[in-house]
Amino acid sequence: EKAVNVPRLIGLNTKVVLNMTLILLVSGTVLLAVFEWNGVFAGKSVLWKITQAFFNSACPRTAGFVSVSLPQMCIQSIMLYMFLMWIGGASQSTAGGIKVNTFAVALLNLRAVMRGQDHVEVYNRELTRNSVHQANATIVLSICVLCISVMVMSILEPDISVKNLLFECFSAIGTVGSSLDTTPLLSTAGKIVIIFLMFFGRVGLLSLFSSLIAQKKTRPYRLMKSEIE
């Protein structure tokens, strides 16, 4: 009998994005509700608290809207906010961050390493090495740029707390726009740093640096393989 090729309505990338987005939304909502139930959400109804937790779990990855006072949030909520801003939306969207796809591939690669596998599998498919390499490179590059930016900002803005500067940098590179009421206090030099971070986040760190660095031609041979432990 002739095999029938049934088209897939939902591709692998779509499955990964949808599942990772659902995990981030649910976990973000639960954590924000726990952290702020008797904090910035205090005195409101249960439905209002859950709605605000869900809204503020989605906005850091998609937009800069806020419905509560961010400076009044506890440090745990602010750290969660920065983490969500760092991840951002999907690669097909206009949101910033390292992208949901990248974060999911990095987690899948971590799972493969812990299991002792030499390849990454998901939904009965094996991810290409290029996908894994790009995800790891994007995360490392993003962390390096953030560390350098926070260090520079701490020198330029000695009167502002590191927590607020961290939030500004994460918000800028994620093109979110949220702030702990710190942006108006920045000096001209500090605002320029934030502008550059927003540009990097909008264009994409890996794409930007790849365009600036001369590409190396593929060699017709392979070097001897070694391991670094």
Side-chain angles (χ1 to χ4, degrees):
E1 296 182 1
K2 187 177 181 180
V4 179
N5 186 15
V6 180
R8 295 180 178 273
L9 299 179
I10 301 179
L12 177 62
N13 185 71
T14 304
K15 287 182 180 179
V16 171
V17 170
L18 290 177
N19 284 312
M20 196 70 239
T21 300
L22 180 62
I23 292 172
L24 290 173
L25 283 175
V26 173
S27 59
T29 300
V30 172
L31 289 174
L32 277 177
V34 171
F35 294 151
E36 300 297 340
W37 195 266
N38 295 318
V40 75
F41 295 163
K44 303 294 182 179
S45 64
V46 174
L47 179 60
W48 188 93
K49 292 180 178 180
I50 295 175
T51 302
Q52 292 298 324
F54 176 79
F55 183 80
N56 286 277
S57 174
C59 283
R61 298 190 308 102
T62 57
F65 300 120
V66 290
S67 56
V68 294
S69 177
L70 293 181
Q72 294 181 8
M73 283 187 170
C74 65
I75 185 62
Q76 293 81 8
S77 298
I78 292 175
M79 291 175 64
L80 176 61
Y81 227 86
M82 289 190 291
F83 177 70
L84 294 175
M85 290 192 295
W86 178 65
I87 295 177
S91 59
Q92 297 81 5
S93 69
T94 58
I98 62 170
K99 307 301 183 185
V100 174
N101 322 53
T102 301
F103 184 66
V105 172
L107 289 181
L108 292 170
N109 183 43
L110 176 61
R111 184 187 67 176
V113 171
M114 295 178 67
R115 290 181 174 180
Q117 297 176 322
D118 59 355
H119 55 277
V120 182
E121 297 177 353
V122 58
Y123 300 122
N124 298 320
R125 292 288 187 274
E126 180 179 336
L127 297 182
T128 63
R129 290 186 178 273
N130 184 52
S131 297
V132 178
H133 291 167
Q134 284 192 347
N136 292 336
T138 300
I139 290 176
V140 171
L141 189 58
S142 175
I143 293 175
C144 289
V145 171
L146 280 169
C147 290
I148 294 173
S149 301
V150 173
M151 187 181 301
V152 173
M153 289 292 287
S154 65
I155 297 174
L156 298 175
E157 310 293 344
D159 297 329
I160 300 178
S161 66
V162 176
K163 179 191 73 173
N164 288 25
L165 294 178
L166 265 171
F167 196 92
E168 288 292 313
C169 291
F170 272 87
S171 178
I173 203 169
T175 62
V176 178
S178 298
S179 176
L180 297 179
D181 297 338
T182 306
T183 307
L185 305 178
L186 298 178
S187 63
T188 302
K191 291 177 181 178
I192 291 176
V193 174
I194 295 299
I195 290 172
F196 274 105
L197 281 177
M198 293 173 65
F199 176 75
F200 293 157
R202 180 63 278 158
V203 176
L205 289 172
L206 193 60
S207 300
L208 179 63
F209 282 92
S210 297
S211 63
L212 297 177
I213 300 175
Q215 300 298 304
K216 194 173 183 179
K217 294 183 179 180
T218 303
R219 292 176 293 196
Y221 59 89
R222 299 286 294 274
L223 300 175
M224 184 183 298
K225 294 183 178 180
S226 297
E227 292 185 359
I228 299 178
E229 298 180 358

